Amino acid sequence: MVNSVEKDERESAPLASLSLAGVKRLVAAYVVMALGTLVALAVLAATAPHLATDEAWGHAVIVAVFAIVLPLRTRAALKGSPSGLRALTIIGCVLLVVNLVEAALPGVFPAWMRGEMLVIAAMMLILAILSVRVRHRQPVADDRANGPQ
């Protein structure tokens, strides 16, 4: 009897927790990529300055800022915060569009960084899809009822 109860609990586990676990891993990969981009730019600035342009540095700094914000919002979402989950969706969509647009700009960024932008865009597409799926599968309480996050 105990086994059937445990099985029922596992089967009724919300998809939200599984999807958010995937979001957590995705955000961790984003943080690693952001830090790797900064390291790559530092190395390139010393060895091949033409590949470490001012535009590349600007992009990398913005990516690094989101590498701080995304884990904080992910943590809030994992704790059940509707505003944290909403922020993940919005940030993912904005970063998807911005990275695609920047990657498409001719001659602005070095080729290696365009590749990095496309990878980030793909990661943000997955993040947006997962966060939207979670939002539609779990009831979202009104933030005013939950108080400040």
Side-chain angles (χ1 to χ4, degrees), residues 4-140:
S4 66
V5 170
E6 289 175 4
K7 182 180 177 186
D8 289 343
E9 288 175 2
R10 279 193 308 258
E11 288 175 356
S12 65
L15 178 64
S17 63
L18 297 174
S19 294
L20 283 176
V23 167
K24 188 175 179 180
R25 286 189 300 272
L26 191 60
V27 169
Y30 176 82
V31 170
V32 169
M33 180 166 254
L35 296 176
T37 300
L38 289 172
V39 170
L41 278 171
V43 170
L44 288 172
T47 60
H50 67 284
L51 294 176
T53 63
D54 289 342
E55 292 83 4
W57 276 105
H59 171 79
V61 168
I62 292 168
V63 167
V65 168
F66 281 107
I68 296 167
V69 173
L70 274 175
L72 295 174
R73 297 290 69 209
T74 301
R75 189 175 312 136
L78 286 169
K79 290 180 180 178
S81 166
S83 63
L85 188 55
R86 189 178 323 110
L88 285 178
T89 306
I90 292 168
I91 291 169
C93 291
V94 168
L95 285 175
L96 167 65
V97 171
V98 168
N99 277 279
L100 287 175
V101 169
E102 286 182 337
L105 294 174
V108 178
F109 296 98
W112 71 270
M113 184 159 268
R114 289 176 193 262
E116 178 255 4
M117 290 173 182
L118 293 174
V119 170
I120 288 176
M123 292 168 69
M124 293 302 106
L125 176 61
I126 295 167
L127 174 70
I129 290 169
L130 290 175
S131 60
V132 165
R133 285 177 65 192
V134 170
R135 287 184 72 188
H136 289 292
R137 292 195 188 257
Q138 70 184 27
V140 178

